[in-house]
Amino acid sequence: MPFAAITYDIKAGYEKEISEIFGNFRRVGSPVVQDEAGGEAARILSTAVFIRDDTMVRVIEYQGDLDAIARHMATQPGVREVEEKLAPYLARPRATDTVEGFVQTFRRSLLTCMAQMSVRDAA
């Protein structure tokens, strides 16, 4: 399963406040991401958030279309709430208040995967 990692440029020293924001995160109702026809376009398998100094990274393990996942995340109330609550702690603002802005910010924040290994890949 592929992983995606997106970065957030944050103000250092707010780890506790940011941790509280994610501690109260409202999960999505289903891991399944549907396409416009109602079929399954992707599936979010797991997520994790890491922070150090002025950098935060959100890691997403997924199957399927990453753009569909970005569009799906842009419409999720919990994700929108986190983005809004993070705003005061960002060193660089994120234009995530529209689906288009969220997807553009997601793509711009995406790290390049250099290597990925899993015991599931061993045959």
Side-chain angles (χ1 to χ4, degrees):
M1 307 310 154
F3 290 88
I6 56 173
T7 61
Y8 296 72
D9 297 319
I10 59 171
K11 298 174 185 173
Y14 291 100
E15 291 86 350
K16 181 179 182 239
E17 292 85 350
I18 293 171
S19 178
E20 288 174 4
I21 291 170
F22 282 97
N24 295 317
F25 179 70
R26 288 190 293 155
R27 296 177 60 92
V28 297
S30 170
V32 175
V33 176
Q34 295 180 337
D35 60 21
E36 293 176 6
E40 185 173 322
R43 184 176 291 258
I44 300 171
L45 303 175
S46 62
T47 63
V49 179
F50 301 87
I51 190 169
R52 187 172 93 197
D53 300 327
D54 62 352
T55 303
M56 185 172 75
V57 178
R58 181 181 223 155
V59 177
I60 305 161
E61 182 183 22
Y62 69 97
Q63 293 173 322
D65 181 7
L66 187 57
D67 279 341
I69 288 173
R71 286 189 302 278
H72 175 74
M73 289 174 64
T75 64
Q76 297 305 300
V79 174
R80 297 188 70 78
E81 184 177 315
V82 163
E83 289 285 335
E84 186 177 308
K85 288 181 177 181
L86 283 175
Y89 307 108
L90 297 175
R92 182 179 303 164
R94 296 167 57 88
T96 58
D97 52 341
T98 66
V99 172
E100 297 80 17
F102 185 97
V103 171
Q104 288 175 351
T105 300
F106 185 96
R107 288 179 184 150
R108 188 173 42 255
S109 303
L110 194 61
L111 296 173
T112 300
C113 182
M114 303 301 293
Q116 179 178 308
M117 292 172 258
S118 171
V119 296
R120 293 176 287 203
D121 299 333

